[in-house]
Amino acid sequence: MKKSPADVPPKPSVQVLERMFQLIDVLASREEAISLKEISEKTGLHPSTTHRILNDLTIGRFVDRPEAGSYRLGMRLLELGNLVKARLSVRDAAMAPMRQLHKLIQQPINLSVRQGDEIVYIERTYSERSGMQVVRAIGGHAPLHLTSTGKLFLAADDPQRVRAYATRTGLPGHTRNSITQLPLLERELGRARQQGIAHDNEELELGVRCMAAGVFDDQGQLVAGLSISSPADRLDEGWQTKLQAAAQDISRALGYTSGLRTALNGPAP
């Protein structure tokens, strides 16, 4: 029986990507490393073409070359897979607590994760009644040191890594309130460690203040931040308890227990 167009898997429009996917599929079919010759035979690609693409994938750490002439899947795929897994599971666990928190305070609630030197917004709950325009949509990103969630991740780092971040980024500012000096940032991070809460005092956007609490996984690792965004003159410090309770609910859903140690102090979930 002839397959209909809907039954035929779509192919990439760029030929080299199609070949790359073929190579990855072959490598994924075996636990041990595979020789260049066998990979070429299984994909039907010329050995020189196979070698060229595998070499590029090796540079990107998508493929490892344990010894000359043999290949296996690389650690970069594991890193990316774990990142996707963390985002999906955190988002699923966060949806109900985020909606409940938004219902209580009627302000935008954000769920963010760290990606390198930035935080990325992966979910948001808000309504038009909050009186604040939502500027950064899901998928938006911002520097760690200018956001409440980003400060949580920096507070969880050791001092050497914080200094490396400052050197690497230069601590650029976005507003007149932005923290652009390392000693000031270190003091701010110290407060976040003590309180278990971090703040953004119009440092990313004028007129907007935020507070964030950490979300931890079953290993006690900080995997996300739950934050409240509010017009600067409306942020209520009394929301802190409600914010921490929502973050704790999400953490418990991810398997966190109060017996696990974290890099942040404050009330344990």
Side-chain angles (χ1 to χ4, degrees), residues 89-110:
S89 60
V90 169
R91 182 185 177 278
D92 291 343
M95 289 306 300
M98 288 178 70
R99 292 191 183 109
Q100 180 62 28
L101 181 58
H102 175 262
K103 185 177 179 180
L104 290 173
I105 67 173
Q106 293 297 309
Q107 295 298 326
I109 311 299
N110 317 291

mmCIF file of all heavy atoms in Angstrom, residues 89-110:
data_model
loop_
_atom_site.group_PDB
_atom_site.id
_atom_site.type_symbol
_atom_site.label_atom_id
_atom_site.label_comp_id
_atom_site.label_asym_id
_atom_site.label_seq_id
_atom_site.Cartn_x
_atom_site.Cartn_y
_atom_site.Cartn_z
ATOM 1 N N SER A 89 10.105 19.381 33.392
ATOM 2 C CA SER A 89 9.580 18.900 34.656
ATOM 3 C C SER A 89 9.294 20.054 35.608
ATOM 4 O O SER A 89 8.300 20.039 36.331
ATOM 5 C CB SER A 89 10.559 17.909 35.288
ATOM 6 O OG SER A 89 11.812 18.513 35.532
ATOM 7 N N VAL A 90 10.160 21.057 35.622
ATOM 8 C CA VAL A 90 9.942 22.213 36.482
ATOM 9 C C VAL A 90 8.684 22.954 36.050
ATOM 10 O O VAL A 90 7.852 23.337 36.877
ATOM 11 C CB VAL A 90 11.161 23.160 36.445
ATOM 12 C CG1 VAL A 90 10.821 24.482 37.127
ATOM 13 C CG2 VAL A 90 12.347 22.521 37.124
ATOM 14 N N ARG A 91 8.529 23.132 34.767
ATOM 15 C CA ARG A 91 7.357 23.850 34.272
ATOM 16 C C ARG A 91 6.073 23.114 34.629
ATOM 17 O O ARG A 91 5.100 23.720 35.087
ATOM 18 C CB ARG A 91 7.442 24.027 32.758
ATOM 19 C CG ARG A 91 6.273 24.811 32.174
ATOM 20 C CD ARG A 91 6.334 24.857 30.659
ATOM 21 N NE ARG A 91 5.176 25.543 30.123
ATOM 22 C CZ ARG A 91 3.989 24.985 29.930
ATOM 23 N NH1 ARG A 91 3.805 23.700 30.249
ATOM 24 N NH2 ARG A 91 2.984 25.681 29.435
ATOM 25 N N ASP A 92 6.070 21.798 34.436
ATOM 26 C CA ASP A 92 4.871 21.018 34.757
ATOM 27 C C ASP A 92 4.530 21.130 36.242
ATOM 28 O O ASP A 92 3.373 21.302 36.618
ATOM 29 C CB ASP A 92 5.085 19.549 34.384
ATOM 30 C CG ASP A 92 5.147 19.335 32.873
ATOM 31 O OD1 ASP A 92 4.717 20.250 32.144
ATOM 32 O OD2 ASP A 92 5.618 18.277 32.446
ATOM 33 N N ALA A 93 5.563 21.039 37.078
ATOM 34 C CA ALA A 93 5.328 21.098 38.519
ATOM 35 C C ALA A 93 4.904 22.488 38.968
ATOM 36 O O ALA A 93 4.228 22.640 39.992
ATOM 37 C CB ALA A 93 6.600 20.675 39.266
ATOM 38 N N ALA A 94 5.307 23.511 38.207
ATOM 39 C CA ALA A 94 5.090 24.897 38.640
ATOM 40 C C ALA A 94 3.733 25.469 38.266
ATOM 41 O O ALA A 94 3.288 26.447 38.889
ATOM 42 C CB ALA A 94 6.187 25.787 38.054
ATOM 43 N N MET A 95 3.080 24.911 37.280
ATOM 44 C CA MET A 95 1.892 25.566 36.735
ATOM 45 C C MET A 95 0.813 25.830 37.789
ATOM 46 O O MET A 95 0.307 26.953 37.921
ATOM 47 C CB MET A 95 1.316 24.748 35.578
ATOM 48 C CG MET A 95 2.164 24.782 34.329
ATOM 49 S SD MET A 95 2.541 26.461 33.761
ATOM 50 C CE MET A 95 0.888 27.109 33.476
ATOM 51 N N ALA A 96 0.435 24.827 38.555
ATOM 52 C CA ALA A 96 -0.641 25.011 39.538
ATOM 53 C C ALA A 96 -0.247 25.997 40.642
ATOM 54 O O ALA A 96 -1.019 26.920 40.951
ATOM 55 C CB ALA A 96 -1.059 23.664 40.134
ATOM 56 N N PRO A 97 0.936 25.872 41.267
ATOM 57 C CA PRO A 97 1.331 26.861 42.270
ATOM 58 C C PRO A 97 1.437 28.278 41.714
ATOM 59 O O PRO A 97 1.107 29.248 42.405
ATOM 60 C CB PRO A 97 2.698 26.353 42.750
ATOM 61 C CG PRO A 97 2.656 24.881 42.510
ATOM 62 C CD PRO A 97 1.888 24.735 41.233
ATOM 63 N N MET A 98 1.890 28.420 40.464
ATOM 64 C CA MET A 98 1.972 29.747 39.858
ATOM 65 C C MET A 98 0.590 30.374 39.697
ATOM 66 O O MET A 98 0.378 31.556 39.994
ATOM 67 C CB MET A 98 2.672 29.667 38.497
ATOM 68 C CG MET A 98 4.161 29.399 38.563
ATOM 69 S SD MET A 98 4.926 29.271 36.914
ATOM 70 C CE MET A 98 4.803 30.992 36.365
ATOM 71 N N ARG A 99 -0.349 29.584 39.222
ATOM 72 C CA ARG A 99 -1.714 30.100 39.049
ATOM 73 C C ARG A 99 -2.323 30.488 40.392
ATOM 74 O O ARG A 99 -2.999 31.508 40.509
ATOM 75 C CB ARG A 99 -2.589 29.054 38.346
ATOM 76 C CG ARG A 99 -2.209 28.797 36.892
ATOM 77 C CD ARG A 99 -3.287 27.973 36.206
ATOM 78 N NE ARG A 99 -2.920 27.656 34.842
ATOM 79 C CZ ARG A 99 -2.574 26.441 34.420
ATOM 80 N NH1 ARG A 99 -2.536 25.430 35.274
ATOM 81 N NH2 ARG A 99 -2.259 26.225 33.153
ATOM 82 N N GLN A 100 -2.076 29.664 41.420
ATOM 83 C CA GLN A 100 -2.617 29.955 42.741
ATOM 84 C C GLN A 100 -2.002 31.229 43.314
ATOM 85 O O GLN A 100 -2.712 32.067 43.901
ATOM 86 C CB GLN A 100 -2.356 28.775 43.682
ATOM 87 C CG GLN A 100 -2.890 28.965 45.093
ATOM 88 C CD GLN A 100 -4.402 29.132 45.136
ATOM 89 O OE1 GLN A 100 -5.114 28.626 44.276
ATOM 90 N NE2 GLN A 100 -4.887 29.863 46.139
ATOM 91 N N LEU A 101 -0.694 31.396 43.145
ATOM 92 C CA LEU A 101 -0.030 32.600 43.645
ATOM 93 C C LEU A 101 -0.535 33.837 42.914
ATOM 94 O O LEU A 101 -0.787 34.883 43.530
ATOM 95 C CB LEU A 101 1.481 32.464 43.481
ATOM 96 C CG LEU A 101 2.329 33.648 43.975
ATOM 97 C CD1 LEU A 101 2.076 33.927 45.457
ATOM 98 C CD2 LEU A 101 3.814 33.375 43.717
ATOM 99 N N HIS A 102 -0.705 33.719 41.603
ATOM 100 C CA HIS A 102 -1.231 34.851 40.840
ATOM 101 C C HIS A 102 -2.640 35.203 41.289
ATOM 102 O O HIS A 102 -3.001 36.384 41.394
ATOM 103 C CB HIS A 102 -1.232 34.532 39.344
ATOM 104 C CG HIS A 102 -1.857 35.600 38.512
ATOM 105 N ND1 HIS A 102 -3.153 35.531 38.068
ATOM 106 C CD2 HIS A 102 -1.367 36.790 38.065
ATOM 107 C CE1 HIS A 102 -3.438 36.609 37.381
ATOM 108 N NE2 HIS A 102 -2.379 37.383 37.364
ATOM 109 N N LYS A 103 -3.430 34.207 41.580
ATOM 110 C CA LYS A 103 -4.797 34.439 42.053
ATOM 111 C C LYS A 103 -4.793 35.209 43.371
ATOM 112 O O LYS A 103 -5.658 36.062 43.613
ATOM 113 C CB LYS A 103 -5.517 33.098 42.227
ATOM 114 C CG LYS A 103 -6.984 33.211 42.607
ATOM 115 C CD LYS A 103 -7.614 31.824 42.683
ATOM 116 C CE LYS A 103 -9.090 31.916 43.083
ATOM 117 N NZ LYS A 103 -9.705 30.556 43.163
ATOM 118 N N LEU A 104 -3.793 34.952 44.220
ATOM 119 C CA LEU A 104 -3.718 35.596 45.528
ATOM 120 C C LEU A 104 -3.279 37.046 45.442
ATOM 121 O O LEU A 104 -3.788 37.898 46.184
ATOM 122 C CB LEU A 104 -2.744 34.831 46.437
ATOM 123 C CG LEU A 104 -3.182 33.454 46.918
ATOM 124 C CD1 LEU A 104 -2.043 32.771 47.668
ATOM 125 C CD2 LEU A 104 -4.417 33.563 47.806
ATOM 126 N N ILE A 105 -2.334 37.355 44.556
ATOM 127 C CA ILE A 105 -1.757 38.710 44.565
ATOM 128 C C ILE A 105 -2.035 39.518 43.300
ATOM 129 O O ILE A 105 -1.769 40.722 43.264
ATOM 130 C CB ILE A 105 -0.244 38.649 44.810
ATOM 131 C CG1 ILE A 105 0.483 38.005 43.633
ATOM 132 C CG2 ILE A 105 0.071 37.899 46.102
ATOM 133 C CD1 ILE A 105 1.984 38.066 43.752
ATOM 134 N N GLN A 106 -2.539 38.847 42.239
ATOM 135 C CA GLN A 106 -2.901 39.541 40.999
ATOM 136 C C GLN A 106 -1.733 40.311 40.368
ATOM 137 O O GLN A 106 -1.891 41.408 39.851
ATOM 138 C CB GLN A 106 -4.075 40.493 41.254
ATOM 139 C CG GLN A 106 -5.376 39.792 41.582
ATOM 140 C CD GLN A 106 -5.875 38.918 40.412
ATOM 141 O OE1 GLN A 106 -5.964 39.377 39.278
ATOM 142 N NE2 GLN A 106 -6.172 37.671 40.722
ATOM 143 N N GLN A 107 -0.537 39.725 40.437
ATOM 144 C CA GLN A 107 0.647 40.292 39.783
ATOM 145 C C GLN A 107 1.323 39.211 38.953
ATOM 146 O O GLN A 107 1.138 38.019 39.225
ATOM 147 C CB GLN A 107 1.625 40.841 40.832
ATOM 148 C CG GLN A 107 1.104 42.015 41.641
ATOM 149 C CD GLN A 107 0.790 43.239 40.789
ATOM 150 O OE1 GLN A 107 1.473 43.510 39.792
ATOM 151 N NE2 GLN A 107 -0.249 43.975 41.165
ATOM 152 N N PRO A 108 2.092 39.590 37.936
ATOM 153 C CA PRO A 108 2.760 38.579 37.105
ATOM 154 C C PRO A 108 3.683 37.673 37.916
ATOM 155 O O PRO A 108 4.448 38.137 38.760
ATOM 156 C CB PRO A 108 3.562 39.421 36.104
ATOM 157 C CG PRO A 108 2.821 40.715 36.033
ATOM 158 C CD PRO A 108 2.307 40.960 37.418
ATOM 159 N N ILE A 109 3.598 36.374 37.648
ATOM 160 C CA ILE A 109 4.443 35.371 38.284
ATOM 161 C C ILE A 109 5.322 34.754 37.197
ATOM 162 O O ILE A 109 4.806 34.320 36.160
ATOM 163 C CB ILE A 109 3.614 34.274 38.971
ATOM 164 C CG1 ILE A 109 2.524 34.888 39.856
ATOM 165 C CG2 ILE A 109 4.525 33.336 39.755
ATOM 166 C CD1 ILE A 109 3.045 35.758 40.968
ATOM 167 N N ASN A 110 6.630 34.709 37.431
ATOM 168 C CA ASN A 110 7.563 34.229 36.421
ATOM 169 C C ASN A 110 8.318 32.991 36.903
ATOM 170 O O ASN A 110 8.696 32.905 38.072
ATOM 171 C CB ASN A 110 8.603 35.314 36.097
ATOM 172 C CG ASN A 110 7.983 36.685 35.956
ATOM 173 O OD1 ASN A 110 7.256 36.950 35.014
ATOM 174 N ND2 ASN A 110 8.251 37.561 36.917
#
